[in-house]
Amino acid sequence: MKKIILSQIILLAVITLGSCTKDFLEKKPDKALLVPTTLTDFQSLMDNLTVMNTAPGITALADGSFYTSTTGLAAYRTASERNSYTWSNDIYEGNIAPEWSAPYQQVFYANIILDGLIKITRNDENKDEYDRIRGSALFFRAMALHYLAGLFCQPYTAGTASQMLGVPVPLTSDVNIRPGRGTLVTTYNQILADLKTATTLLPFATTLKSRPSRPAALALLSRVYLTMNDYDNALISAESCLTLKNSLLNYNELNQTTASPFPSSLPNGNDEVLFHAVALGYSYVRSALTGVDSNIFRSFAANDIRRAVFFNPPNVNKMIRQKNSYAGSSGSFAGLALDEVYFNKAECLARKNEAANAMITLNTISANRYQKATFTNFTAATSADALRLILQERGKEIFTNAGMLRWMDLRRLNQDSRFAFTLKRNVNGQVFVLSPNDPRYTYPIPDNEISGSGIPQNPR
Amino acid sequence: MKIFLFLVVGIFCSYSLAAQSVIIGRVTDDNLQIPLQGVTVSIPAEKLVTQTDASGRFTLKTKLDSCTLVFSTVGYQQGRLKISKPFDAVYEITMRQKIAALQEVVVSTGYQELPRERSTGSFSQVSNFQLNRKVSTNVLSRLQDQVPGLVFNKVNNNDAGPNSSISIRGMSTINANPEPLIILDNFPYDQSIANINPNDVESITVLKDAAAASIWGARAGNGVIVITTKKGKYNNTTKFNLSSNVTIGARPDAFYQPQMSAADYIDIEKRLFESGYFTEAETSSFRTPLTPVVESLIARRDGLLSEATADSKINALKNEDVRRDLDRYFFQKSVNQQHALNISGGGTGQKYFVSAGYDRNLDNLVGNKYDRATFNASNTYAFLKNKLEFSTSIFFTSSNQQNNNPGIANLGLSYTNLYPYAQLADAAGKPLTIARDYRLSFIDEARKQGLLDWSYQPLGERSAANNHTMVNDYRLNTSLKYQFTPGLSAQLLYQYGRTRNEVRNLYGQQTYYTRDQINNLTATDGSGQLTRPIPLGGILDMAQGNVITNNVRAQINYNNSWGSKHSLTAIGGSEISTLHNYSDRSRLYGYDDDHATSQLVDYVSVFPRFVTSDASGIQIPANNNQSDLTDYFLSYYGNAAYTYDSRYTLSASARFDQSNLFGVKTNQKGVPLYSFGAAWNIGQEAFYKSDWLPFLKVRATYGYNGNIDKHLSAYTTAAYNSGSSSFTRQPFATVENPPNPQLRWERDRIINFGLDFSSKSSTVSGSFEYYDKKGFDLIGLTAYPPSSGISSFNGNFANTSGHGLEATINSRNIDSDFKWLTTILFSVSKDKVTKYNSSTVTAGSAIIDNGGYTPVVGQPLYSIYSYKWAGLDAQNGDPQGYVNGQVSKHYAAIKAAANKDNIVYNGSARPTIFGALTNTFQFGDLSLSAIISYRLGYYYRAHSINYGSDKGLTSQHGDYGLRWQKPGDEATTSVPSVLETADDGRDYFYNWSSVLVRKADNIRLQDINLNYTFTKLKFPWLPFQRAQLYVYADNVCILWKATKNSIDPDNINGFPPTRTVAFGFKAGF
């Protein structure tokens, strides 16, 4: 009898336990955890500034814009900084390379979102947000891939791109898929396809500069076409961008003596900035023994305000160091800004033999860069002169961007003998030379990638 | 039942008084010579039974002229005494303790207590006697050298994997929780073991194989340690136990780690200065701090100091050694006090145990101390003719840890280690300033502008700090047990636990931290007007963690024997446990501790930094954080053991665990685990006739334990961040785990064979065990190519297999007035990876430098690998390796060419053979015992110089002094020459090369215990029954090690544990 009662009690207990099992086991182990499934989750992932809004900037030490002394070079914290400065064959000395992994992390985030969006139905209620998020993810993926292509692939040349190696282009968030390098054409086709779709989905403006907008996508599209030497499309994209947004900072209105002359791009400050990103962290930025190349500095005219707002007076080491950029306090600006788009447009016009229009564009931006009182419009007799002038001015303006812009310009302009440029360094009596189209214009892929996925390395 | 017997005896005795003669005797322990209370004394012929009283006395009245007295009590060998008239006035009977008498031990699994004799599994019990041999604040450390197969992971190096404090039978996981499960009485105890007063612990049972541990299922994968606390006993007079001890520990040896000499350091600084290395720092707008030598060199260069003055200043520093100051001002002798009192007893229907303990530890770092008070009370009532038993107990611990010593690791300049010639105090002991974040000249400038004193005195920090961690932990237990029939009972147990950890770090305005924070954002308007976005006053950081646990268990116990030969024990039940852990962290600025007020600050705006206008501005650090974690477990379990004729035992157990794994379908949240076992008590067989080995038992078990990493998920998971540190102040999310649809529970299959034996009179006894273990689906981290978007991935990657042998042998070498007892523990533990699923090719370099996390098939899970060393280049002292079999100095190529077949496998990073030898000598009341422990068959990677870009200044390793300097040195040194320019690849190769891997084998004299026992018997004037005075020395010395250098192979980082000596006494009333 007692046994029966007991077994009934136990049975009851087990049933009670069993019935609440499901809810009990569904309890989230950590409140901060989420499985990203909603549009808000996706937006939160893309609002992760340290992941999404960074860009490789190692090439600033390789593109000739900065000079450092022998001891300054020795004091750089990372091997890739020291070796980039002298274009060594071995850049990383076995260390990992954030220039490779950070963009791929962005691609991964973008793919998580693009994969997740498939499971959400786009309807009248959510379509604006849905489109914005999809467009943003495509934009981020394209942005990351274009940096990777600019650093780790040979410069794009229309005829041979289909025989050149691209970079792996993962299109899903499955971390076990190894797409291989493919060709440069497949890489660029993906970048273009992503950006073209993004331009149809993104809104005209966003509340935060860290989020992509349609003008930003067009600006990037214009940059990518320029990299591909496709001036027609680069012009169309630049003009489409400028139709949507064309506001320039008038440097005449800036405080030229302060260390931070520019309004910070975040959260929504600098009107010239289309998309906020900062260069990955490098020690050269803080080095007191590193300054802008003196030849480049001398190329700034006396009435060029950029001379005062880009650079500090020489320090005790006679080094001319940069002031805070468009990114203000958050780092060295390496995003997209309208100045670049103006120069893209001017260059394309000049290349299409529309010298007059090209000069109008150049003068529009230059009027905002030179002292109002003394500035007189640039003039050019021929399209070739216009092009030369525009590229000269572009070379100075490019200091607003600490990313890979100058490097990508060198790679494409070196293909044209008129603009080809040989970089030289003298370190401790030893002379280093980087000739136009040298294979060292393509960075080696880091060892952990080569050993991990077995993709072919770049020749140096 | 017993009570009933006594009553009968009593009644029987009283009425048959007339024709009887009286037998009086006294029972004492033959060794300790203390009176034994509660010994059952019987005259079987008359069915007379009595028990001895507190003074060991008994009285029996017999009608017989001659009879045999039988004495029995738990833990002692049965004694017989034949007597006949005329009876002596008082019979003096001595009883002998059964030393480690295996067959009498009752082991606890946390679910049931079962006699060792009838168990099939691998249990190791550490008795109260063994636990009390050692003196410590923490009870678990007393397991050291007492349990075969259990090893304390002292090797604090990167190659040894997750740093679990204890491993039982090797590592059973790669990346999931590596700690064994700790059970306190009935339920898992997830809080710090430091909350438990060792004086409250009766015994500890370690469950090692599947049959023993699988009852704990999915949490048993790393083994289980069951702590049984002391309880009262029915029908026992009130007993008091008092113990008190003081442990004095030596100061840490500040000179233990080899450090570059001040002279070498200064020489490097001079060379670097001449090459302009410090120009960068000197001219930095961030006012990068510089050492006194560099400052003097600058002053000399600039003509501010004459050459002679500068040189004499610098030369004076060459004789300084900061370690002398550290020894004098940062280290002290540790003094740990431990006091405990307990009272226990019981009547027929009630039993109780009450204890209080107090610990007060002064750390060997000046300014750090620890106080702990514990209180424990348990009460059991029996009702309804003892059929219903109701128990309650409460454990309470309150501790306060003060951490005011800043530690010696982080005293230097903001960007590098403290220079070896730093002076922390002047001759009078007054704290001295050293540069930290800024140059001293800048600090002077700032002071002139009205900023707070920006100087940093490490010694001043020590006294200004006010950092406390307080823990309040309590557990309430209630249990109800009903005995339906003598064999069948049901019980319901409930435990509520609550732990509150509170960290309160008050950085007063006098601390450097706060002065630096305030000054950092102070702005001047040029006219001397200062604005301070961070207000004056202190900064108060508070963190609170709360853990609430609930455990409910319903269990049926069945225990019956029928016929004369069958007996069955079975339990079954279900259990729910919940653990809710929520914590928050917050910070107050402008805190005034006298009035408990604080001030609001602007967390949003970006403020320029005082140091330089061209530096980026920053926001005021918010330091706010919350977390909320929940663990749910739902389990069903059962086990049964059937014994036939005390000879054959079969056992089986099963358990099904479910947990709230995140992002996993309900049907994947559980795992069934089971075990089977058999034991054969050969000694009981009729055919077995051995006088010299009367007890012989063999046993075998098979089964599974599990483990899980709850941080993983089948889906992509992300974690939210409030965004308070982001420039957009927008919440954002970070991907935590890429999706892992194949996520499974880790499982360990263990096969165990055991042999227990005991010779006649237990002269030699012990056990041997052999186990074979296979780990399936172990969760590990594997490197991924970055193009996948991640650099490493956590998944069920590896299968492992391991086996081991464990032996315990107790022997009484001499057993007379003088006694010599020996216990030998011997463990062999081997494991290897049998399968490693990874979609990536693992580079040889990743195996070498990935901190032992990269499993290699065929090798132990935690192994040390290195690059093959080809000696130093005789021309210039460059380290050399191999590329394709050719000696090479192309370091990038050496690294790139490394694969799992051409790198050097040095050996296991964990001891593969270990154990202890305990010798006890007793002469009368004096006892001396010592443990010699040994750990063999493993390796460690020694530290050495890393030149970096500053010729080794940052590294400061003492190997600098041994470096190659001229051709011929390569015959005597393997430390590479110093280069003019940095070469990361060269440093990397040397530091991961085989030349730095050393054998870690060592044998040490772990501890010595000397004690003297006083008994009332010998000293009738004593106010207590017995007392013991003891001296205990721990970490005595290393007797032998494989390496010749001064580094303790088990302590290659930091300092080795210091030698301690404890003095104490115990008394029982």
Side-chain angles (χ1 to χ4, degrees), chain A residues 438-452:
Chain A
D438 190 291
R440 287 172 297 166
Y441 267 106
T442 307
Y443 265 59
I445 291 169
D447 298 338
N448 59 339
E449 178 67 38
I450 302 291
S451 60

mmCIF file with all atom_site columns, all heavy atoms in Angstrom, chain A residues 438-452:
data_model
loop_
_atom_site.group_PDB
_atom_site.id
_atom_site.type_symbol
_atom_site.label_atom_id
_atom_site.label_alt_id
_atom_site.label_comp_id
_atom_site.label_asym_id
_atom_site.label_entity_id
_atom_site.label_seq_id
_atom_site.pdbx_PDB_ins_code
_atom_site.Cartn_x
_atom_site.Cartn_y
_atom_site.Cartn_z
_atom_site.occupancy
_atom_site.B_iso_or_equiv
_atom_site.pdbx_formal_charge
_atom_site.auth_seq_id
_atom_site.auth_comp_id
_atom_site.auth_asym_id
_atom_site.auth_atom_id
_atom_site.pdbx_PDB_model_num
ATOM 1   N N   . ASP A 1 438 ? 56.011 47.558 -59.854 1.00 0.00 ? 438 ASP A N   1
ATOM 2   C CA  . ASP A 1 438 ? 56.798 46.535 -59.151 1.00 0.00 ? 438 ASP A CA  1
ATOM 3   C C   . ASP A 1 438 ? 55.829 45.536 -58.526 1.00 0.00 ? 438 ASP A C   1
ATOM 4   O O   . ASP A 1 438 ? 54.758 45.914 -58.062 1.00 0.00 ? 438 ASP A O   1
ATOM 5   C CB  . ASP A 1 438 ? 57.622 47.242 -58.054 1.00 0.00 ? 438 ASP A CB  1
ATOM 6   C CG  . ASP A 1 438 ? 58.646 46.324 -57.424 1.00 0.00 ? 438 ASP A CG  1
ATOM 7   O OD1 . ASP A 1 438 ? 58.237 45.380 -56.695 1.00 0.00 ? 438 ASP A OD1 1
ATOM 8   O OD2 . ASP A 1 438 ? 59.844 46.570 -57.644 1.00 0.00 ? 438 ASP A OD2 1
ATOM 9   N N   . PRO A 1 439 ? 56.211 44.235 -58.545 1.00 0.00 ? 439 PRO A N   1
ATOM 10  C CA  . PRO A 1 439 ? 55.303 43.266 -57.902 1.00 0.00 ? 439 PRO A CA  1
ATOM 11  C C   . PRO A 1 439 ? 55.044 43.583 -56.435 1.00 0.00 ? 439 PRO A C   1
ATOM 12  O O   . PRO A 1 439 ? 54.052 43.130 -55.859 1.00 0.00 ? 439 PRO A O   1
ATOM 13  C CB  . PRO A 1 439 ? 56.045 41.924 -58.053 1.00 0.00 ? 439 PRO A CB  1
ATOM 14  C CG  . PRO A 1 439 ? 57.365 42.218 -58.635 1.00 0.00 ? 439 PRO A CG  1
ATOM 15  C CD  . PRO A 1 439 ? 57.335 43.589 -59.204 1.00 0.00 ? 439 PRO A CD  1
ATOM 16  N N   . ARG A 1 440 ? 55.927 44.389 -55.814 1.00 0.00 ? 440 ARG A N   1
ATOM 17  C CA  . ARG A 1 440 ? 55.701 44.713 -54.407 1.00 0.00 ? 440 ARG A CA  1
ATOM 18  C C   . ARG A 1 440 ? 54.565 45.724 -54.209 1.00 0.00 ? 440 ARG A C   1
ATOM 19  O O   . ARG A 1 440 ? 54.264 46.097 -53.081 1.00 0.00 ? 440 ARG A O   1
ATOM 20  C CB  . ARG A 1 440 ? 56.997 45.221 -53.780 1.00 0.00 ? 440 ARG A CB  1
ATOM 21  C CG  . ARG A 1 440 ? 58.012 44.100 -53.555 1.00 0.00 ? 440 ARG A CG  1
ATOM 22  C CD  . ARG A 1 440 ? 59.341 44.628 -53.110 1.00 0.00 ? 440 ARG A CD  1
ATOM 23  N NE  . ARG A 1 440 ? 59.931 45.487 -54.140 1.00 0.00 ? 440 ARG A NE  1
ATOM 24  C CZ  . ARG A 1 440 ? 60.965 46.295 -53.929 1.00 0.00 ? 440 ARG A CZ  1
ATOM 25  N NH1 . ARG A 1 440 ? 61.529 46.347 -52.749 1.00 0.00 ? 440 ARG A NH1 1
ATOM 26  N NH2 . ARG A 1 440 ? 61.451 47.037 -54.919 1.00 0.00 ? 440 ARG A NH2 1
ATOM 27  N N   . TYR A 1 441 ? 53.975 46.182 -55.323 1.00 0.00 ? 441 TYR A N   1
ATOM 28  C CA  . TYR A 1 441 ? 52.735 46.957 -55.186 1.00 0.00 ? 441 TYR A CA  1
ATOM 29  C C   . TYR A 1 441 ? 51.573 46.050 -54.778 1.00 0.00 ? 441 TYR A C   1
ATOM 30  O O   . TYR A 1 441 ? 50.467 46.519 -54.536 1.00 0.00 ? 441 TYR A O   1
ATOM 31  C CB  . TYR A 1 441 ? 52.404 47.701 -56.480 1.00 0.00 ? 441 TYR A CB  1
ATOM 32  C CG  . TYR A 1 441 ? 52.956 49.120 -56.484 1.00 0.00 ? 441 TYR A CG  1
ATOM 33  C CD1 . TYR A 1 441 ? 54.056 49.469 -57.247 1.00 0.00 ? 441 TYR A CD1 1
ATOM 34  C CD2 . TYR A 1 441 ? 52.337 50.098 -55.702 1.00 0.00 ? 441 TYR A CD2 1
ATOM 35  C CE1 . TYR A 1 441 ? 54.556 50.759 -57.238 1.00 0.00 ? 441 TYR A CE1 1
ATOM 36  C CE2 . TYR A 1 441 ? 52.834 51.395 -55.690 1.00 0.00 ? 441 TYR A CE2 1
ATOM 37  C CZ  . TYR A 1 441 ? 53.944 51.728 -56.448 1.00 0.00 ? 441 TYR A CZ  1
ATOM 38  O OH  . TYR A 1 441 ? 54.412 53.005 -56.422 1.00 0.00 ? 441 TYR A OH  1
ATOM 39  N N   . THR A 1 442 ? 51.823 44.758 -54.783 1.00 0.00 ? 442 THR A N   1
ATOM 40  C CA  . THR A 1 442 ? 50.828 43.810 -54.281 1.00 0.00 ? 442 THR A CA  1
ATOM 41  C C   . THR A 1 442 ? 51.346 43.199 -52.997 1.00 0.00 ? 442 THR A C   1
ATOM 42  O O   . THR A 1 442 ? 52.442 42.634 -52.975 1.00 0.00 ? 442 THR A O   1
ATOM 43  C CB  . THR A 1 442 ? 50.595 42.704 -55.321 1.00 0.00 ? 442 THR A CB  1
ATOM 44  O OG1 . THR A 1 442 ? 50.277 43.319 -56.571 1.00 0.00 ? 442 THR A OG1 1
ATOM 45  C CG2 . THR A 1 442 ? 49.459 41.798 -54.888 1.00 0.00 ? 442 THR A CG2 1
ATOM 46  N N   . TYR A 1 443 ? 50.599 43.347 -51.907 1.00 0.00 ? 443 TYR A N   1
ATOM 47  C CA  . TYR A 1 443 ? 51.052 42.837 -50.615 1.00 0.00 ? 443 TYR A CA  1
ATOM 48  C C   . TYR A 1 443 ? 50.959 41.309 -50.565 1.00 0.00 ? 443 TYR A C   1
ATOM 49  O O   . TYR A 1 443 ? 50.073 40.722 -51.196 1.00 0.00 ? 443 TYR A O   1
ATOM 50  C CB  . TYR A 1 443 ? 50.200 43.441 -49.481 1.00 0.00 ? 443 TYR A CB  1
ATOM 51  C CG  . TYR A 1 443 ? 50.827 44.665 -48.874 1.00 0.00 ? 443 TYR A CG  1
ATOM 52  C CD1 . TYR A 1 443 ? 51.113 45.777 -49.654 1.00 0.00 ? 443 TYR A CD1 1
ATOM 53  C CD2 . TYR A 1 443 ? 51.139 44.717 -47.517 1.00 0.00 ? 443 TYR A CD2 1
ATOM 54  C CE1 . TYR A 1 443 ? 51.698 46.907 -49.104 1.00 0.00 ? 443 TYR A CE1 1
ATOM 55  C CE2 . TYR A 1 443 ? 51.719 45.840 -46.952 1.00 0.00 ? 443 TYR A CE2 1
ATOM 56  C CZ  . TYR A 1 443 ? 52.012 46.933 -47.750 1.00 0.00 ? 443 TYR A CZ  1
ATOM 57  O OH  . TYR A 1 443 ? 52.593 48.036 -47.205 1.00 0.00 ? 443 TYR A OH  1
ATOM 58  N N   . PRO A 1 444 ? 51.854 40.695 -49.800 1.00 0.00 ? 444 PRO A N   1
ATOM 59  C CA  . PRO A 1 444 ? 51.737 39.234 -49.650 1.00 0.00 ? 444 PRO A CA  1
ATOM 60  C C   . PRO A 1 444 ? 50.543 38.895 -48.759 1.00 0.00 ? 444 PRO A C   1
ATOM 61  O O   . PRO A 1 444 ? 50.163 39.680 -47.883 1.00 0.00 ? 444 PRO A O   1
ATOM 62  C CB  . PRO A 1 444 ? 53.047 38.833 -48.968 1.00 0.00 ? 444 PRO A CB  1
ATOM 63  C CG  . PRO A 1 444 ? 53.502 40.060 -48.256 1.00 0.00 ? 444 PRO A CG  1
ATOM 64  C CD  . PRO A 1 444 ? 52.986 41.235 -49.037 1.00 0.00 ? 444 PRO A CD  1
ATOM 65  N N   . ILE A 1 445 ? 49.976 37.748 -49.004 1.00 0.00 ? 445 ILE A N   1
ATOM 66  C CA  . ILE A 1 445 ? 48.877 37.276 -48.157 1.00 0.00 ? 445 ILE A CA  1
ATOM 67  C C   . ILE A 1 445 ? 49.490 36.691 -46.886 1.00 0.00 ? 445 ILE A C   1
ATOM 68  O O   . ILE A 1 445 ? 50.511 36.009 -46.956 1.00 0.00 ? 445 ILE A O   1
ATOM 69  C CB  . ILE A 1 445 ? 48.050 36.228 -48.937 1.00 0.00 ? 445 ILE A CB  1
ATOM 70  C CG1 . ILE A 1 445 ? 47.311 36.943 -50.080 1.00 0.00 ? 445 ILE A CG1 1
ATOM 71  C CG2 . ILE A 1 445 ? 47.060 35.506 -48.029 1.00 0.00 ? 445 ILE A CG2 1
ATOM 72  C CD1 . ILE A 1 445 ? 46.674 36.028 -51.080 1.00 0.00 ? 445 ILE A CD1 1
ATOM 73  N N   . PRO A 1 446 ? 48.926 36.994 -45.717 1.00 0.00 ? 446 PRO A N   1
ATOM 74  C CA  . PRO A 1 446 ? 49.563 36.523 -44.476 1.00 0.00 ? 446 PRO A CA  1
ATOM 75  C C   . PRO A 1 446 ? 49.662 35.000 -44.415 1.00 0.00 ? 446 PRO A C   1
ATOM 76  O O   . PRO A 1 446 ? 48.820 34.277 -44.938 1.00 0.00 ? 446 PRO A O   1
ATOM 77  C CB  . PRO A 1 446 ? 48.656 37.063 -43.369 1.00 0.00 ? 446 PRO A CB  1
ATOM 78  C CG  . PRO A 1 446 ? 47.415 37.530 -44.044 1.00 0.00 ? 446 PRO A CG  1
ATOM 79  C CD  . PRO A 1 446 ? 47.767 37.831 -45.454 1.00 0.00 ? 446 PRO A CD  1
ATOM 80  N N   . ASP A 1 447 ? 50.700 34.555 -43.720 1.00 0.00 ? 447 ASP A N   1
ATOM 81  C CA  . ASP A 1 447 ? 51.018 33.120 -43.661 1.00 0.00 ? 447 ASP A CA  1
ATOM 82  C C   . ASP A 1 447 ? 49.873 32.270 -43.122 1.00 0.00 ? 447 ASP A C   1
ATOM 83  O O   . ASP A 1 447 ? 49.645 31.156 -43.573 1.00 0.00 ? 447 ASP A O   1
ATOM 84  C CB  . ASP A 1 447 ? 52.237 32.898 -42.755 1.00 0.00 ? 447 ASP A CB  1
ATOM 85  C CG  . ASP A 1 447 ? 53.471 33.588 -43.297 1.00 0.00 ? 447 ASP A CG  1
ATOM 86  O OD1 . ASP A 1 447 ? 53.488 33.848 -44.514 1.00 0.00 ? 447 ASP A OD1 1
ATOM 87  O OD2 . ASP A 1 447 ? 54.401 33.861 -42.514 1.00 0.00 ? 447 ASP A OD2 1
ATOM 88  N N   . ASN A 1 448 ? 49.150 32.790 -42.101 1.00 0.00 ? 448 ASN A N   1
ATOM 89  C CA  . ASN A 1 448 ? 48.128 31.927 -41.503 1.00 0.00 ? 448 ASN A CA  1
ATOM 90  C C   . ASN A 1 448 ? 46.979 31.658 -42.476 1.00 0.00 ? 448 ASN A C   1
ATOM 91  O O   . ASN A 1 448 ? 46.292 30.658 -42.370 1.00 0.00 ? 448 ASN A O   1
ATOM 92  C CB  . ASN A 1 448 ? 47.622 32.495 -40.169 1.00 0.00 ? 448 ASN A CB  1
ATOM 93  C CG  . ASN A 1 448 ? 47.011 33.875 -40.288 1.00 0.00 ? 448 ASN A CG  1
ATOM 94  O OD1 . ASN A 1 448 ? 47.275 34.602 -41.245 1.00 0.00 ? 448 ASN A OD1 1
ATOM 95  N ND2 . ASN A 1 448 ? 46.188 34.233 -39.320 1.00 0.00 ? 448 ASN A ND2 1
ATOM 96  N N   . GLU A 1 449 ? 46.815 32.541 -43.465 1.00 0.00 ? 449 GLU A N   1
ATOM 97  C CA  . GLU A 1 449 ? 45.813 32.275 -44.488 1.00 0.00 ? 449 GLU A CA  1
ATOM 98  C C   . GLU A 1 449 ? 46.328 31.212 -45.465 1.00 0.00 ? 449 GLU A C   1
ATOM 99  O O   . GLU A 1 449 ? 45.627 30.265 -45.811 1.00 0.00 ? 449 GLU A O   1
ATOM 100 C CB  . GLU A 1 449 ? 45.469 33.566 -45.252 1.00 0.00 ? 449 GLU A CB  1
ATOM 101 C CG  . GLU A 1 449 ? 44.465 33.379 -46.381 1.00 0.00 ? 449 GLU A CG  1
ATOM 102 C CD  . GLU A 1 449 ? 43.076 33.010 -45.880 1.00 0.00 ? 449 GLU A CD  1
ATOM 103 O OE1 . GLU A 1 449 ? 42.668 33.562 -44.837 1.00 0.00 ? 449 GLU A OE1 1
ATOM 104 O OE2 . GLU A 1 449 ? 42.407 32.162 -46.503 1.00 0.00 ? 449 GLU A OE2 1
ATOM 105 N N   . ILE A 1 450 ? 47.561 31.405 -45.882 1.00 0.00 ? 450 ILE A N   1
ATOM 106 C CA  . ILE A 1 450 ? 48.139 30.466 -46.851 1.00 0.00 ? 450 ILE A CA  1
ATOM 107 C C   . ILE A 1 450 ? 48.136 29.061 -46.267 1.00 0.00 ? 450 ILE A C   1
ATOM 108 O O   . ILE A 1 450 ? 47.729 28.085 -46.906 1.00 0.00 ? 450 ILE A O   1
ATOM 109 C CB  . ILE A 1 450 ? 49.589 30.872 -47.202 1.00 0.00 ? 450 ILE A CB  1
ATOM 110 C CG1 . ILE A 1 450 ? 49.633 32.298 -47.781 1.00 0.00 ? 450 ILE A CG1 1
ATOM 111 C CG2 . ILE A 1 450 ? 50.231 29.882 -48.156 1.00 0.00 ? 450 ILE A CG2 1
ATOM 112 C CD1 . ILE A 1 450 ? 49.025 32.470 -49.131 1.00 0.00 ? 450 ILE A CD1 1
ATOM 113 N N   . SER A 1 451 ? 48.583 28.956 -45.001 1.00 0.00 ? 451 SER A N   1
ATOM 114 C CA  . SER A 1 451 ? 48.649 27.616 -44.406 1.00 0.00 ? 451 SER A CA  1
ATOM 115 C C   . SER A 1 451 ? 47.259 27.086 -44.092 1.00 0.00 ? 451 SER A C   1
ATOM 116 O O   . SER A 1 451 ? 47.027 25.888 -44.130 1.00 0.00 ? 451 SER A O   1
ATOM 117 C CB  . SER A 1 451 ? 49.502 27.644 -43.148 1.00 0.00 ? 451 SER A CB  1
ATOM 118 O OG  . SER A 1 451 ? 48.957 28.527 -42.207 1.00 0.00 ? 451 SER A OG  1
ATOM 119 N N   . GLY A 1 452 ? 46.341 27.978 -43.792 1.00 0.00 ? 452 GLY A N   1
ATOM 120 C CA  . GLY A 1 452 ? 45.009 27.529 -43.397 1.00 0.00 ? 452 GLY A CA  1
ATOM 121 C C   . GLY A 1 452 ? 44.133 27.131 -44.562 1.00 0.00 ? 452 GLY A C   1
ATOM 122 O O   . GLY A 1 452 ? 43.396 26.150 -44.490 1.00 0.00 ? 452 GLY A O   1
#
